[in-house]
Amino acid sequence: MSQPRPASDSGSTAPAPRRRRPASLVFEPPEAVADPEHFFDLESMDDPRELLRRSTELALAFRVAADRATEYQAIAAAQLADPRRFDRMPLATLAEQAEWSEDYALKMIEFGRGLLRNGGSHIEDGD
């Protein structure tokens, strides 16, 4: 699982650096997903250069998707733990639901609060 990025201690309000757009993920048809050897048609590529290019694109796309999902997790955790909410979720419950330790949940809440303070980073930009 990705670790949350540490909040900047410098007090800087500079926008987060823009990320490269990942390669588009082509959704595989259900029959391809059922085949355990099938993975985005990489197994059928004969040209190692093309295999390297496409597998690199996929690795980048999955990395970016995992980072964005982690940011959304952090924002949700911060919102659910907000003391102003009448239905605030206790730390232990939040950690259990997300399958995190309480220490990690606390770090994610802090990370999410930082994202929310900065306008959601690039998430709200749709980037």
Side-chain angles (χ1 to χ4, degrees):
M1 181 172 292
S2 296
Q3 292 290 327
R5 287 183 222 129
S8 173
D9 292 331
S10 65
S12 171
T13 58
R18 286 194 147 339
R19 295 194 175 135
R20 283 181 21 186
R21 284 219 182 264
S24 58
L25 295 177
V26 178
F27 291 96
E28 299 188 272
E31 60 275 1
V33 174
D35 179 3
E37 296 298 316
H38 186 83
F39 188 73
F40 289 90
D41 211 26
L42 295 179
E43 71 288 342
S44 67
M45 293 183 173
D46 294 325
D47 179 2
R49 285 188 170 98
E50 180 63 18
L51 178 60
L52 178 63
R53 184 196 65 74
R54 182 62 182 148
S55 60
T56 301
E57 285 178 349
L58 285 168
L60 175 62
F62 288 130
R63 228 176 272 132
V64 169
D67 287 347
R68 289 187 78 181
T70 299
E71 289 175 349
Y72 278 109
Q73 283 182 309
I75 287 173
Q79 290 170 335
L80 290 168
D82 187 339
R84 297 171 297 188
R85 289 178 63 109
F86 76 92
D87 60 345
R88 177 183 184 196
M89 188 177 286
L91 181 63
T93 305
L94 178 64
E96 182 181 341
Q97 261 193 4
E99 298 181 10
W100 297 331
S101 70
E102 287 188 29
D103 288 341
Y104 187 79
L106 192 56
K107 288 178 184 177
M108 287 294 279
I109 291 166
E110 291 168 6
F111 178 46
R113 286 178 179 155
L115 289 171
L116 290 168
R117 268 192 306 275
N118 294 325
S121 178
H122 65 279
I123 290 175
E124 293 179 354
D125 297 337
D127 206 19

